[in-house]
Amino acid sequence: MSRDSVFTIPPGAPFLPTLAEALLDGSLVGPVADGPLGLAAVTIYLPTQRAARALAAHLAERCGPAALLPRTVPLGEAHEAELALAAAPPAERLEALLRPAMPALERRLILSRLVQAWAATVDRQLLPIGEEVPFRVPSSPADAIGLAADLEGLMDALTVEGLGVSAIGAAVEAEVSRYFSLTLDFVRIAAEHWPRILEERGVGDPVARGRALMLAEAARLTRERPADPIVVAGSTGSVPATATLIAAIAGLPRGAVVLPGLDLSLDAAGWAAIHPGGPAAQGHAAQPQPAQSHPQAVMHRLLGPDFLNRTRAEVRPLGRRGPAAEARAALLSQALRPAETTDAWVDLDPAARADLARAGGAGLVLVEAADEREEALAAAVALRETLETPGRTAALITPDRNLARRVAAELGRWGIVADDTAGESLGLSPAGRLARLAADLAADEAKPGRVLALLAHPLVRLGLDRAALVRAACALEIGVLRGPAPAKGLPGIAQALHLARTEPRSHAPRAVRRLTEADWAAAEELIDRLAIAFRGFAPGADDAPLDLVQLAQAHREACDRLLDGPDAEAQEPSDEPSVAALDQLFDDLALAEPGLIAGRFADYPAVFTALARERVVPARRLAGPHPRLRILGLLEARLLSADRVVLGGLDEGVWPPKAETDAFLNRPMRAAIGLSSPERRLGQTAHDFVEALGCPDAVITRAHKREGAPTVPSRFLQRLRAFMGEGAWGACRSGGERLRAHAAALDRGR
C-alpha cells in the first residue's frame, strides 16, 4: 500500500474547490490534465449526488465547457450500472446482487404484519410479568408500523456491521428481563424467515444488497488493481463496507483517499484517548472507554489496523486556509478533546489559552433565542444580512427540519426562496394534509369540525371553482354547522340542512336570515358533492376488521374527487408537487400484497399518517431559488461551503440527537452482539459540527424553549464555553443580541 495515498482537507478550507485543485495540479494522483482524455480516466467516489454535481461544476469552471470530466460515483446511491460487477465473485453471488431491491413500503408492511402477529402472542405471555414490562408492545396497526421501523433499523444495523442472525443468540443467552427475552426470540425468528420471504418474491434486501455491492467493488479493485486514477473523497468510513472500499482504493497504484477534517493538531494523549485500545495507548495504567462521541472517533477507527493502518503523520494535508480558520480549528480541537484528557486545559498557559479563545472565537456569533420562532427569525436575519453584500453566499445547516421550514418561511418576508433540496414530509405537505383530513372525516363520521377543516383546505375543489366552493362552505357553516350538532355522517348534515332551509326563520340568527336561496342551494349541492366524493370510503355498519392496504384505494378515489376542478380544468395536471407524491404512495399501496395490515376503519387514518410521514416531497419553488443561499442537512453540508454559515438547533436532543437504543435491544445486548453503541451517531454529528464551524463567519442559534419545554444547550456549546471562558463567550453572545434586536424590530414593524 502506497504511504502517500491518504490526504485530508482541514476544516476552514473549501472541500470541493480544494479537491478539484489538488486533482488538476497533480498532487493527488499525479498528472491528469496533460491530455484531453486525462480527466475522463479518473473515477471519483463521493458521499452524495449533490456533492458529485458540485465537484463537476468546479472542474468545468476550471477546465472549460468542452472538457471531459471524471466519472463520479455517489457512494450512497451507487448501483450495479455504476459499480463494475462483470468480474464480481461467484455466479450465484452475482445473481443475488442483480436482484431488484425490495420496495421500502412493501418491506415495512411485511415487517408490520410480523410485528402484529408477535404482539398477539406477547400480550398473553406478558400477563404474569407485571410492572417489569415497558410499554413497547403495539396496540394498533399504526403502532405496529412504528415498531416495524425499529425492527428494520436493527436488521439493517446487523447487516451493515456484517453480523449474522446467529449473533442474536449471544444476547438471548445473557441475563435479561423476560420482556427482552421475548423480543429477542421474535427478532431471531423474524430474521431467520426474512431470507425466505425475499426468495419467494425474487427480490433482495436493500441494505444487504448495498453492502454486497460495496464489498464486490472493493474485491474487484483489489484483484484487478487498475492503473487509472481512482479517488474516494469526503467519506469518514462510518460504514464498514465503505471503509473496506476506502482501504482498497488506498492500496491502488494511483489511488487516493481524501478525508474530511482529520484533526492533525490534537496531541498524542488526546488522540490515544479516543480509542484506548490502540497502539498509542499502550502503557497507560487506566484505559477509559472509547470516546465514541468524539468528532474524530470514526476516522480514528478508519486509520486503524483494520482498514488503512496509518498514523496521522502519514496523512498529507491539502489546501490553504487563513489564520482565522486555523485558530478556529485549534479552538475546537481543544474544546472537544476527549473528556478524560481535559485536565490538559490546566497545563495551558493562561495567556495562550485566552489568546486562542479570542482568536478562535473571532467571527463566531451565538444567538440564544426565547423560542423556536425567534430562533428562526434571527437565523433568517443573519442569512439576509449576508446577501446584502454582492457575491457573498450563505447557508443554513441544521438537522431540524421544523427549524428549516420556519427559516424558509421567515425568508419569505423579503421574497427570498432558499435552495432547500431536502423537501418536506408528505404528511405535512398540502396534498398529504388533504388526504389526512379526508381519512379523519371518514373515520370520525363527518363531525362538523372535520367537514369545515376539509372544506377550508385550499386544494379541495369538488368539481367547483374555488371561490364558489368557499361561498357554499360559508353558507353551510352559517346555516347548519354553527348550531346544535346534526346526526352522524354526511346524510345527517344533509338532513339538518334541508330542515334549516324549509323551516320558518323568523327567530333565526341574523346571519342565517341573510342567506339567500342561492346560498342554500349552493350548500345543498356542496353536501351532495361531498357525499359522492366519499362514496365507498366510510366505515361499515358492523365495524369489522378490514384490509387496510386495499382500503387505501377507496381513500385514493375520495381524494381524486376532492381535487377535481371544474370541467375546463379537469384534465390539467396540478402544479403542486405533493399531489404527485401522494399519487406515488397510493400507487405503491396498490402494488403491495393484499392483507399485510389488518385493522378496523378507525385505525386507517393513523396508518396512512405513519406511511405518509416517511415520504419526502421536493420543496416547491414559487420562484427561482436564490443563487447564493442554501438550506442544508448535516450530510449535505460536509463538502459544501459558504461565506457565512448559520448552525441552527444547537440544543441537546436536536444537535446532537438523543442517543437512543431500539425497542428490541438494550445497550448490554448490543455490546454482546457486537453492534456499535448509539454514541457513534453523536460522534458523527460532532464531526459535522466541527466541519461547519470551520467557516470563519459562523452564527450559532439555539432556543431556550422548544414546543413549550425548556431545553439544555448542546454539549458542544457547553464545552466551548468551558474552554473559552466567560469573557470570550460573552463577546460571542453580544453579536447574537444584535441579531435578536433586529428580529424584534421586524416584529414591531420598525
Side-chain angles (χ1 to χ4, degrees), residues 451-634:
V451 173
L452 293 176
L454 178 63
L455 295 177
H457 194 287
L459 293 182
V460 173
R461 306 294 287 277
L462 286 169
L464 300 171
D465 178 80
R466 181 61 191 169
L469 184 142
V470 170
R471 288 193 297 270
C474 290
L476 177 65
E477 178 189 1
I478 293 170
V480 178
L481 301 183
R482 285 186 180 178
K488 292 182 178 180
L490 292 174
I493 295 178
Q495 181 181 9
L497 178 60
H498 177 73
L499 293 175
R501 182 180 183 183
T502 56
E503 69 181 5
R505 294 192 290 273
S506 57
H507 299 291
R510 182 179 179 182
V512 176
R513 296 199 305 268
R514 293 178 61 182
L515 294 177
T516 65
E517 285 301 313
D519 293 330
W520 289 105
E524 286 190 342
E525 181 187 6
L526 181 61
I527 285 297
D528 291 341
R529 288 176 179 269
L530 266 179
I532 293 173
F534 282 87
R535 184 180 300 161
F537 184 52
D542 55 355
D543 196 24
L546 302 169
D547 180 354
L548 299 184
V549 175
Q550 288 188 336
L551 185 59
Q553 298 314 303
H555 186 198
R556 178 182 203 162
E557 294 173 3
C559 291
D560 288 343
R561 297 188 189 108
L562 291 169
L563 289 166
D564 282 344
D567 294 340
E569 305 175 15
Q571 304 303 319
E572 295 183 6
S574 172
D575 61 351
E576 171 55 53
S578 61
V579 174
L582 179 63
D583 283 340
Q584 184 61 55
L585 174 57
F586 283 134
D587 286 342
D588 292 345
L589 286 168
L591 294 175
E593 178 184 340
L596 290 178
I597 293 290
R600 303 186 182 278
F601 194 99
D603 296 323
Y604 178 78
V607 168
F608 174 81
T609 300
L611 296 177
R613 186 183 299 120
E614 298 185 2
R615 293 294 175 110
V616 177
V617 180
R620 183 183 182 185
R621 288 170 171 78
L622 302 177
H626 199 289
R628 295 187 284 123
L629 178 63
R630 290 176 292 190
I631 296 178
L632 304 171
L634 300 189

Side-chain angles (χ1 to χ4, degrees), residues 34 60 77 132 197 281 304 312 362 563 582 651 678 683 716 726 733:
D34 294 344
E77 304 166 26
E132 179 189 358
I197 294 173
R312 285 184 298 163
L563 289 166
L582 179 63
D651 292 309
F716 310 145
E726 292 302 320
R733 296 177 65 177

Side-chain angles (χ1 to χ4, degrees), residues 416-470:
I416 296 174
V417 178
D419 182 12
D420 183 5
T421 58
E424 64 179 341
S425 167
L426 174 60
L428 300 176
S429 69
R433 292 197 304 270
L434 182 146
R436 289 166 53 199
L437 289 169
D440 288 338
L441 186 149
D444 217 3
E445 297 182 312
K447 288 186 177 179
R450 302 287 190 191
V451 173
L452 293 176
L454 178 63
L455 295 177
H457 194 287
L459 293 182
V460 173
R461 306 294 287 277
L462 286 169
L464 300 171
D465 178 80
R466 181 61 191 169
L469 184 142
V470 170

Side-chain angles (χ1 to χ4, degrees), residues 276 278-287:
Q282 298 296 330
H284 285 263
Q287 295 185 0

Side-chain angles (χ1 to χ4, degrees), residues 57-97:
H58 285 297
L59 291 172
E61 183 180 356
R62 289 286 310 275
C63 302
L68 295 177
L69 299 179
R71 170 178 174 249
T72 56
V73 182
L75 288 170
E77 304 166 26
H79 53 79
E80 66 274 7
E82 294 174 316
L83 301 179
L85 294 177
E92 62 274 9
R93 179 73 168 177
L94 180 60
E95 179 183 355
L97 290 177

Side-chain angles (χ1 to χ4, degrees), residues 336 375 395-400 403 632-635 637-638 645-658 681-693 699-702 706 712-718:
L336 299 182
E375 179 187 12
L396 170 68
I397 302 173
T398 180
D400 187 350
L403 177 61
L632 304 171
L634 300 189
L635 179 60
R638 287 180 184 177
V645 296
V646 178
L647 283 63
L650 265 296
D651 292 309
E652 283 293 307
V654 180
W655 191 352
K658 296 178 180 178
R681 186 184 175 198
L682 273 62
Q684 293 171 337
T685 60
H687 181 265
D688 296 332
F689 174 76
V690 172
E691 284 286 284
L693 211 58
V699 178
I700 297 174
T701 70
R702 62 169 300 264
R706 293 189 182 277
V712 176
S714 169
R715 64 190 67 187
F716 310 145
L717 297 187
Q718 296 183 48

Side-chain angles (χ1 to χ4, degrees), residues 1-256:
M1 182 182 294
S2 171
R3 310 309 292 181
D4 295 326
S5 59
V6 182
F7 305 83
T8 185
I9 297 177
F15 191 93
L16 294 179
T18 302
L19 177 64
E21 179 70 24
L23 179 65
L24 294 176
D25 67 16
S27 60
L28 199 60
V29 288
V32 297
D34 294 344
L37 301 180
L39 275 178
V42 180
T43 299
I44 303 178
Y45 294 90
L46 291 165
T48 64
Q49 184 66 52
R50 187 169 187 174
R53 290 195 300 266
L55 178 62
H58 285 297
L59 291 172
E61 183 180 356
R62 289 286 310 275
C63 302
L68 295 177
L69 299 179
R71 170 178 174 249
T72 56
V73 182
L75 288 170
E77 304 166 26
H79 53 79
E80 66 274 7
E82 294 174 316
L83 301 179
L85 294 177
E92 62 274 9
R93 179 73 168 177
L94 180 60
E95 179 183 355
L97 290 177
L98 295 180
R99 287 179 181 173
M102 173 177 280
L105 178 64
E106 184 178 2
R107 185 187 191 211
R108 178 63 56 83
L109 293 177
I110 291 173
L111 293 178
S112 299
R113 180 179 62 184
L114 294 175
V115 169
Q116 280 187 301
W118 168 72
T121 304
V122 169
D123 281 343
R124 293 191 295 271
Q125 298 185 47
L126 291 179
L127 289 178
I129 299 182
E131 297 180 357
E132 179 189 358
V133 184
F135 185 72
R136 297 307 296 268
V137 178
S139 58
S140 69
D143 290 344
I145 291 175
L147 200 57
D150 274 356
L151 178 58
E152 273 187 21
L154 176 58
M155 293 173 62
D156 291 347
L158 290 169
T159 302
V160 164
E161 297 291 342
L163 300 174
V165 180
S166 58
I168 300 177
V172 175
E173 295 170 1
E175 184 178 351
V176 296
S177 69
R178 174 84 176 278
Y179 169 77
F180 278 112
S181 295
L182 295 174
T183 62
L184 288 170
D185 288 341
F186 163 67
V187 171
R188 183 164 50 184
I189 293 171
E192 288 172 352
H193 283 78
W194 188 241
R196 177 181 55 80
I197 294 173
L198 295 175
E199 187 69 28
E200 290 174 352
R201 287 164 170 76
V203 295
D205 182 86
V207 177
R209 185 170 176 273
R211 178 176 183 273
L213 285 170
M214 285 290 178
L215 294 178
E217 180 71 350
R220 182 188 72 84
L221 294 175
T222 302
R223 180 174 60 252
E224 297 179 0
R225 297 183 61 79
D228 289 335
I230 299 179
V231 179
V232 57
S235 175
T236 60
S238 59
V239 176
T242 304
T244 301
L245 177 62
I246 291 173
I249 292 173
L252 298 178
R254 297 187 70 185

